[in-house]
């Protein structure tokens, strides 16, 4: 099983690690990962008292806390900027399989 491989400008081999999961129990909803992601992969959501994901800006919902979710995993380019700014380290990454 081989992974997708690329090279940097100087020819150094590079295997991108794509986001595959985000642990909502660890996430503190700070939004730092959202701010550094130029690809629009993540989205802020609210969690209500029943543990359901809801619109964080809906005034009718009682939001217990806010977390990030993976909204567009297919747009991830494997740069890992999001994990570099994440204090709780709540994301999981994996390389893509070569076709």
């Amino acid at each position: 099983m081989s992974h997708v491989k690329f090279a940097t400008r100087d020819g150094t081999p590079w295997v991108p690690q794509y986001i595959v999961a985000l642990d909502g129990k660890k996430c503190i909803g700070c939004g730092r990962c959202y701010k550094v992601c130029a690809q629009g992969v993540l989205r802020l959501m609210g969690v209500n008292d029943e543990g359901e994901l809801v619109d964080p800006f809906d005034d009718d919902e009682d939001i217990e806390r806010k977390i990030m979710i993976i909204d567009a995993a297919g747009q991830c380019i494997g740069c890992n900027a999001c994990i570099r700014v994440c204090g709780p380290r709540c994301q999981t990454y994996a390389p893509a399989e070569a076709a």
Side-chain angles (χ1 to χ4, degrees):
M1 195 179 324
S2 88
H3 301 292
V4 173
K5 296 177 185 169
F6 296 100
T8 61
R9 268 182 21 184
D10 68 359
T12 304
W14 176 58
V15 176
Q17 299 288 316
Y18 301 98
I19 192 165
V20 293
L22 198 149
D23 186 344
K25 292 183 184 350
K26 285 184 179 179
C27 181
I28 60 172
C30 66
R32 287 184 280 182
C33 57
Y34 174 81
K35 290 175 185 174
V36 299
C37 181
Q39 303 304 312
V41 174
L42 305 169
R43 180 167 52 135
L44 183 67
M45 293 296 291
V47 179
N48 66 15
D49 56 355
E50 296 170 3
E52 299 170 326
L53 293 176
V54 295
D55 181 351
F57 306 108
D58 185 351
D59 293 334
D60 295 333
E61 287 286 346
D62 288 330
I63 306 293
E64 294 286 314
R65 62 193 198 101
K66 295 178 182 177
I67 63 169
M68 298 306 296
I69 65 163
I70 300 171
D71 190 43
Q75 293 183 200
C76 179
I77 61 171
C79 69
N80 300 136
C82 51
I83 196 65
R84 284 192 216 101
V85 298
C86 182
R89 301 282 197 202
C90 55
Q91 298 101 341
T92 302
Y93 299 87
E97 299 300 320

